[in-house]
Amino acid sequence: MEAPPDNDVLWARSLYFTHRDGSPALGGVSLGVREGEILAVSGPRGSGKTTLLHCLSGLVPAQRGEVWFNSVPVHTMGPMARERLRRDRFGWIDPAPVLVPELNVWENAALPLMLRGTSRRRAKVAALEWLDRLDIGDRSRSRPHELTQAERQRVCITRALAPAPSVLFADEPTAPLHRADRAHVLRTLTTAARSHGITVVLATHDPETAAVADRTVPLMDGRRVKTVHLPPVTEPEGRGAACSLSV
């Protein structure tokens, strides 16, 4: 078993995954992610982006291949060890903001810290600091139903960043947002990650979102390609132009 490079916080080799219906999701994907890097995994819907993030984060074990985090083999871990890894070292942002409706904004943001055993007081202080950094501190006592879609997504980003993860996985984090909201959410996410040395693996089918990354890994039909031509993004305020990304 070959150890990963020392400067890669995440390293994957020859990942294969097939869905239950027999359709292939990953067909031998290999990549490395450097510490503090923002890496975009680009490609159209169905190209394997989400499956790759699931395998890299240990949420779903690849059926074949290796995943290493800081030279620790994730692919040999059992379910409980992978769960602890995700809780203690990784953060996750879903495509659509999902918050606990009974909790206010700061309680939602502090929830992962409190689940780790952090006191309510310390968790609140950390959550409020991050909410201020992401320009939503003035809504800390609001309930999720009182927020806009963009505000709810910023709370989800705060919730993922507050525990200071080593790696943040963001799966289409701006997909449901309008162009102006998307730009603001991306700016706050990337600024916060860079200022705290957090590695980000970002899955997106949007060329404007991929453009904020340090590097792009395009996927097509579950395989790495040199160039992927992304389709126009349709949204209420207009249509984006088609774009190609290359590595």
Side-chain angles (χ1 to χ4, degrees), residues 99 105 108 136 147 151-159:
L99 300 172
V105 162
N108 268 283
I136 196 169
L147 306 178
E151 288 172 335
R152 287 195 294 272
Q153 193 69 327
R154 289 208 297 277
V155 177
C156 290
I157 292 171
T158 302
R159 182 177 61 191

Side-chain angles (χ1 to χ4, degrees), residues 21 37 39 70 86 100 119 131 153 156-157 168 177 235 237 246:
D21 62 3
E37 181 179 27
L39 176 74
N70 281 341
R86 292 194 303 274
V100 180
S119 70
L131 288 168
Q153 193 69 327
C156 290
I157 292 171
L168 175 63
L177 304 180
E235 53 190 354
E237 63 268 22
S246 60

Side-chain angles (χ1 to χ4, degrees), residues 12-97:
R13 179 167 57 188
S14 300
L15 298 184
Y16 288 84
F17 190 89
T18 301
H19 293 302
R20 290 183 179 180
D21 62 3
S23 59
L26 297 176
V29 174
S30 299
L31 58 82
V33 188
R34 296 183 293 273
E35 185 174 2
E37 181 179 27
I38 297 178
L39 176 74
V41 180
S42 69
R45 290 182 175 90
S47 59
K49 303 185 302 296
T50 296
T51 302
L52 178 58
L53 263 63
H54 284 175
C55 292
L56 291 174
S57 66
L59 185 63
V60 175
Q63 291 155 346
R64 289 168 51 196
E66 301 174 16
V67 176
W68 298 73
F69 167 68
N70 281 341
S71 301
V72 175
V74 178
H75 54 283
T76 64
M77 292 180 175
M80 293 300 294
R82 294 199 311 272
E83 183 178 340
R84 285 193 299 270
L85 178 66
R86 292 194 303 274
R87 182 192 64 201
D88 296 340
R89 306 301 299 274
F90 295 161
W92 187 276
I93 302 172
D94 282 311

